[in-house]
Amino acid sequence: QVHLVESGGDSVQAGGSLKLSCAASQDTHLITCMGWFRRNPGQGREGLAAIATDGSTMYAESVKGRFTISQDNAKNTLYLEMNSLKPEDTGNYYCAAGYYGSGCPVEALVYDMDYRGEGTQVTVSV
């Protein structure tokens, strides 16, 4: 069992930046897919950024060019750097990880992962 704990959520103004962290309770080297998804009342759940075991990254169109996913294997920590934040980025951000069979599409982050954190709130004001 892998426990994931997100941190870094905050309230910022539009155009600002935040960096989210996701700490895993144990070595995740057997995990094949990790990433971030968010949930907000207006748009439901949306997969945002994923990183596969080979280091390849995938992004939703809504965040491409603004968000960057990365990981520090030595610290068992996943990051999401978010720049040029918009009010529509407001939501609860979740870290997810799993043994996904084929690649690591962002769509799989929402319902097809084996582990998920409790989320961290991001609020972007005008």
Side-chain angles (χ1 to χ4, degrees), residues 2 14 24 38 40 42 48 52 54 67 69 85 99 104 109 112 123:
V2 177
R38 69 185 173 200
N40 64 44
L48 301 174
D54 63 358
F67 290 11
I69 189 171
L85 283 162
Y99 310 101
C104 188
L109 299 172
D112 295 333
T123 303

Side-chain angles (χ1 to χ4, degrees), residues 89-101:
D89 292 319
T90 293
N92 209 358
Y93 283 65
Y94 298 87
C95 173
Y99 310 101
Y100 198 72

Side-chain angles (χ1 to χ4, degrees), residues 47-118:
L48 301 174
I51 186 164
T53 188
D54 63 358
S56 58
T57 56
M58 281 65 62
Y59 296 93
E61 285 298 323
S62 60
V63 304
K64 194 174 292 185
R66 299 188 299 123
F67 290 11
T68 302
I69 189 171
S70 62
Q71 61 185 15
D72 185 331
N73 292 325
K75 296 181 179 179
N76 294 331
T77 301
L78 185 73
Y79 302 100
L80 184 68
E81 186 165 0
M82 306 185 294
N83 298 312
S84 302
L85 283 162
K86 306 174 182 180
E88 51 263 44
D89 292 319
T90 293
N92 209 358
Y93 283 65
Y94 298 87
C95 173
Y99 310 101
Y100 198 72
S102 178
C104 188
V106 293
E107 296 80 9
L109 299 172
V110 179
Y111 295 111
D112 295 333
M113 295 293 104
D114 299 274
Y115 309 107
R116 190 193 77 185
E118 294 298 314

Side-chain angles (χ1 to χ4, degrees), residues 3-36:
H3 295 283
L4 304 173
V5 179
E6 303 93 337
S7 62
D10 205 343
S11 296
V12 297
Q13 289 190 321
S17 299
L18 283 174
K19 186 172 184 177
L20 306 182
S21 299
C22 171
S25 61
Q26 62 189 62
D27 189 347
T28 57
H29 77 278
L30 295 179
I31 296 290
T32 61
C33 179
M34 295 187 70
W36 297 87

